[in-house]
Amino acid sequence: MSETGFFTDTTLCIGCKACEVACKQWNELPSDGFAFTGESYDNTSQLSGTTWRHVAFVEQVAIEPAAPSPIVEKWLMMSDVCKHCTNAGCQEACPTGAIVKNEFGNVYVQPDVCNGCGYCVVSCPFGVIDLIDPIDDERKFSVATLSESRRDANQTAIQKSGGVAGKCTLCYDRQKIGETPACAKACPTESIQFGVLDELRERAAERVASLAERGVDAHLYGADDVGGGIGSLNAFFLLTDRPEVYNLPVEPVLPSTRQPAGYTAAAGAAIALALAGWAIFRSR
Amino acid sequence: MNPTYYDRPVLKAPHWGWNVVTYLFLGGITGGLGIVAALADPKTPSGRRLRKTARIASLVVATANPPILISHLGRPERFLHMLRTFKPGSPMSLGVWGLVAYSTAAAASIMIEDDRLTALQAILGAYLAGYTGVLLSATAVPLWAAGKAHIPAACVCSGVASACALASAISSLTGNAEAVGKLERLEQVATAGEAVILIHFNASGGPRVRRFVGRVAAPVALSLVAGLVHVPERHRRLRTLLASALTLTAGYLFRNALIEVGKRSTTDPQAGFRQPR
C-alpha cells in the first residue's frame, strides 16, 4: 500500500481551529485547560500528548511611525501536527516497540503497549510527542464545573489510559475504514489535505509554482529530506516565511545518529581506565 | 537573532526526576564494580577479598536498580513490556537487556569462579556505566546532544570512580588496607579523567554547557583534592571514608546536573532550531 500523509498549505489557513476541535472530538482528547496567552489568537500554544493539531498565529507588524496605529502587514497561520518522519526519533527510541510504522507509513503509538517511560518525548526533534497526564490530573477537568459523577462519566478512553505517550495517529482508525482524518475532513479551506504522498507532493509543487507566478514566495518544508538523517516528512508544509517563524526547526537532527560517537567515547574511556586499573592492581 | 514563536520552546522537556537520576547513578556504580572485580588480583589474599566485596556489592546495587527504573514509568505495571522486544537501536531497550545480562552474570560470578565469566561481567559493566551517557546524548535535548562524546565518557569515569569509592569504603571498614590503597589510586585516575573530559566539554560548548560544568566543578574538584591530602596513618580510615563520600556525592550531583540543566536547555527555542549533529 502506498504511504499516506498530510500536506498543510499555510497560505490557505484562516485560523478557524476547526482542525483542533475535530481532532479533539474524534480522538476523545481532554481539554488542556483554559488560558488566554495574549499571543495573537493562539491559546493552544503547542502540540501535546492530548493536543494533536495546533494552529499557530503570527502577526507580522509593519512599524510605521506616521500611522496612528501599527498596521498588520502579514498574518500567518499554520496548523501544526506530528510530522510522521520517515526516520522517526520517537519510534527508534521506544524501548517497548509501542511506537510503530503502520501499513499507511504513519508513525503510530500503541497505547496498550506503551509503558510511559518518556524516552520518545526527548527523542523527537520536533517536540511533538508528550506524555498524557494520568487521569487524576485535576487540570483536565477544571474547565467544566462538572459534578463528581459527571466527571467520571466524562472520562474518555485516552484519559483512562493516562501515563502513556500521545500524539497524532493520522486518524489510523478512520483511515482503516477509508475515511479522511478528522482534521482534514473538517478543514473548510483545504489548507489541510490528506492523501497518498506522491500525489500530495505533486500537488504541493504545483501550488508553489502557481504562487510564484502570483509573486508569493513560498517553499515546502518536509516534502523532501529535511536533513539530519530524518528523511522526508509524511506530514509536510507549505510556508511563506522561515521555518523558525512557525516554531519549526531549521536543522532538525535524528538523535540516534549520535549513538556511534557516544558508544565509541564510552568504550575509549573504559579501555583507558581498565589499562590504568591493570597497572595499579596487577603490578608487583 | 533568529525570530522565535513567542519564545516558546521547540522541544519538549524530559519528564524525568530523582528516580532517573538515582538509576543513572547506581547503574554507573554497578557497572564500575564489575570492572573492579575483574581488576582485583586473585593471586593475593587481599585481591580475593576485594573481588568478593565488589561482586556482592555489585549484585546488591544491581538488584536495587529495577524497582527504581520501574518507579519512573507512567505505567509501572507495564515494565515487562520492555522485555517483549529487543531493539539494539534504542539505548533504553539495549540498556534494559544489558542490565538483565549484567545482573545474571553478577549473580553467576558469585557462585562460579571462572575467568571468562569475570571478564564478561567487566565488559557488561563497562557497557552499563557507559550506556546511560549514550541514552542521554542520543536525544534532542540540547545539553545532552552537545555532549555526544563527552557525556558517555564522563559517565564511565564517574561510574568507575564511584565504584572504587564504594569498594574502598567497604574495604576500609572490613580491614582490607591493601585493597584500599589501590582502589583510591584508581578512583583518583578516574576522577582526574572525568575532570579532563569536563574541562574539554566546557571549552567546546556554549553557555548551557558552562552552566552544567559549573554545577559539577566543585564536587568533582573536592573529591579529587580529598584523595590527595596527606594525613597521618591513624587518620587514614577517616580520610578514605570522607573521600568516598565526596566521590559518591559528586557522582550523584553529576547525574542530577545532567537532568536538571538538560531540562532547562530544552526551553531555549534557538537551541531547538539548530540541533547539534
Side-chain angles (χ1 to χ4, degrees):
Chain A
M1 181 169 279
S2 35
E3 295 197 0
T4 59
F6 285 129
F7 164 39
T8 307
D9 182 345
T10 65
T11 57
L12 295 176
C13 183
I14 54 168
C16 69
K17 302 188 192 177
C19 51
E20 283 190 19
V21 176
C23 176
K24 287 262 184 197
Q25 289 196 324
W26 181 264
N27 295 300
E28 296 191 296
L29 297 169
S31 151
D32 292 314
F34 190 60
F36 288 119
T37 60
E39 295 163 359
S40 189
Y41 285 65
D42 184 5
N43 296 312
T44 310
S45 298
Q46 58 176 349
L47 292 170
S48 76
T50 49
T51 297
W52 301 348
R53 271 280 178 188
H54 159 232
V55 182
F57 291 76
V58 181
E59 295 181 48
Q60 291 178 334
V61 183
I63 306 294
E64 305 227 6
S69 65
I71 300 157
V72 173
E73 191 185 45
K74 216 157 63 161
W75 198 3
L76 306 175
M77 294 148 201
M78 179 192 80
S79 180
D80 196 10
V81 69
C82 168
K83 315 299 178 288
H84 293 277
C85 312
T86 298
N87 300 312
C90 62
Q91 188 230 327
E92 289 187 342
C94 178
T96 62
I99 305 181
V100 294
K101 272 275 169 89
N102 65 19
E103 66 266 39
F104 302 108
N106 311 145
V107 182
Y108 178 70
V109 187
Q110 305 171 82
D112 53 335
V113 180
C114 174
N115 67 13
C117 72
Y119 197 35
C120 55
V121 177
V122 288
S123 300
C124 173
F126 299 96
V128 172
I129 196 165
D130 205 358
L131 293 182
I132 300 170
D133 291 327
I135 45 167
D136 58 351
D137 189 342
E138 282 297 317
R139 190 170 56 90
K140 301 284 187 225
F141 305 98
S142 61
V143 191
T145 50
L146 293 174
S147 68
E148 202 76 30
S149 57
R150 284 277 312 279
R151 238 183 247 177
D152 289 341
N154 274 277
Q155 278 179 14
T156 63
I158 283 283
Q159 287 168 339
K160 281 176 185 153
S161 70
V164 300
K167 70 163 196 72
C168 163
T169 67
L170 231 148
C171 279
Y172 187 23
D173 50 351
R174 289 178 64 89
Q175 283 197 61
K176 270 187 156 177
I177 53 165
E179 285 288 349
T180 301
C183 57
K185 184 90 181 176
C187 179
T189 63
E190 291 192 326
S191 168
I192 300 173
Q193 300 177 31
F194 166 78
V196 175
L197 269 183
D198 295 339
E199 278 173 35
L200 287 180
R201 289 200 189 107
E202 218 170 284
R203 219 184 291 167
E206 281 167 21
R207 176 72 180 160
V208 171
S210 100
L211 283 169
E213 273 173 32
R214 280 176 275 166
V216 179
D217 186 18
H219 60 98
L220 298 177
Y221 181 90
D224 299 315
D225 191 352
V226 289
I230 295 168
S232 59
L233 311 175
N234 277 29
F236 62 94
F237 303 82
L238 183 147
L239 310 175
T240 54
D241 208 329
R242 298 158 65 177
E244 304 98 301
V245 170
Y246 304 89
N247 219 17
L248 293 170
V250 196
E251 289 172 14
V253 172
L254 184 66
S256 67
T257 54
R258 295 189 204 96
Q259 284 182 28
Y263 284 125
T264 308
I271 290 167
L273 287 178
L275 290 175
W278 194 267
I280 292 166
F281 282 87
R282 301 297 180 102
S283 61
R284 302 256 159 201
Chain B
M1 195 57 134
N2 290 315
T4 65
Y5 186 75
Y6 306 104
D7 276 335
R8 296 245 170 220
V10 178
L11 303 165
K12 293 276 186 285
H15 288 264
W16 299 338
W18 69 269
N19 32 21
V20 171
V21 173
T22 308
Y23 173 72
L24 298 177
F25 171 61
L26 294 182
I29 296 180
T30 314
L33 285 168
I35 299 173
V36 169
L39 288 172
D41 191 349
K43 293 195 192 78
T44 65
S46 120
R48 283 194 292 274
R49 279 184 68 190
L50 172 60
R51 190 166 262 195
K52 201 174 168 192
T53 302
R55 281 172 178 170
I56 292 170
S58 185
L59 187 63
V60 169
V61 183
T63 317
N65 278 336
I68 296 165
L69 193 60
I70 291 166
S71 74
H72 100 278
L73 299 175
R75 304 221 94 178
E77 73 276 15
R78 291 185 187 164
F79 171 72
L80 290 175
H81 289 195
M82 292 213 213
L83 302 179
R84 68 182 271 284
T85 184
F86 174 66
K87 283 175 73 180
S90 162
M92 196 181 278
S93 173
L94 196 59
V96 166
W97 285 108
L99 183 61
V100 169
Y102 181 87
S103 304
T104 311
S109 71
I110 285 177
M111 294 178 279
I112 311 156
E113 181 63 55
D114 183 284
D115 285 346
R116 283 164 303 176
L117 191 59
T118 307
L120 177 70
Q121 192 189 348
I123 292 164
L124 288 170
Y127 165 75
L128 212 56
Y131 100 89
T132 51
V134 180
L135 185 141
L136 297 182
S137 65
T139 67
V141 174
L143 171 72
W144 305 345
K148 66 174 176 182
H150 295 101
I151 293 173
C155 280
V156 172
C157 291
S158 169
V160 170
S162 300
C164 288
L166 185 61
S168 69
I170 298 170
S171 298
S172 169
L173 293 171
T174 54
N176 190 353
E178 199 186 325
V180 171
K182 289 176 175 172
L183 286 165
E184 284 185 330
R185 257 181 288 161
L186 183 56
E187 185 183 331
Q188 288 291 296
V189 171
T191 308
E194 188 186 348
V196 169
I197 292 163
L198 289 174
I199 289 165
H200 190 266
F201 189 27
N202 189 61
S204 69
R208 77 181 62 84
V209 171
R210 289 196 289 277
R211 187 179 308 131
F212 162 70
V213 177
R215 274 181 67 157
V216 294
V220 171
L222 265 179
S223 75
L224 199 57
V225 171
L228 293 171
V229 177
H230 256 282
V231 291
E233 199 57 40
R234 62 200 155 89
H235 293 315
R236 274 296 304 274
R237 178 175 285 182
L238 186 65
R239 194 199 68 174
T240 300
L241 294 178
L242 190 65
S244 291
L246 282 170
T247 300
L248 290 169
T249 308
Y252 188 86
L253 292 177
F254 168 62
R255 269 73 170 196
N256 189 57
L258 271 177
I259 299 292
E260 292 308 319
V261 184
K263 273 184 192 169
R264 268 184 74 178
S265 75
T266 58
T267 60
D268 174 10
Q270 299 298 343
F273 289 148
R274 287 173 205 281
Q275 300 169 11
R277 297 236 161 221

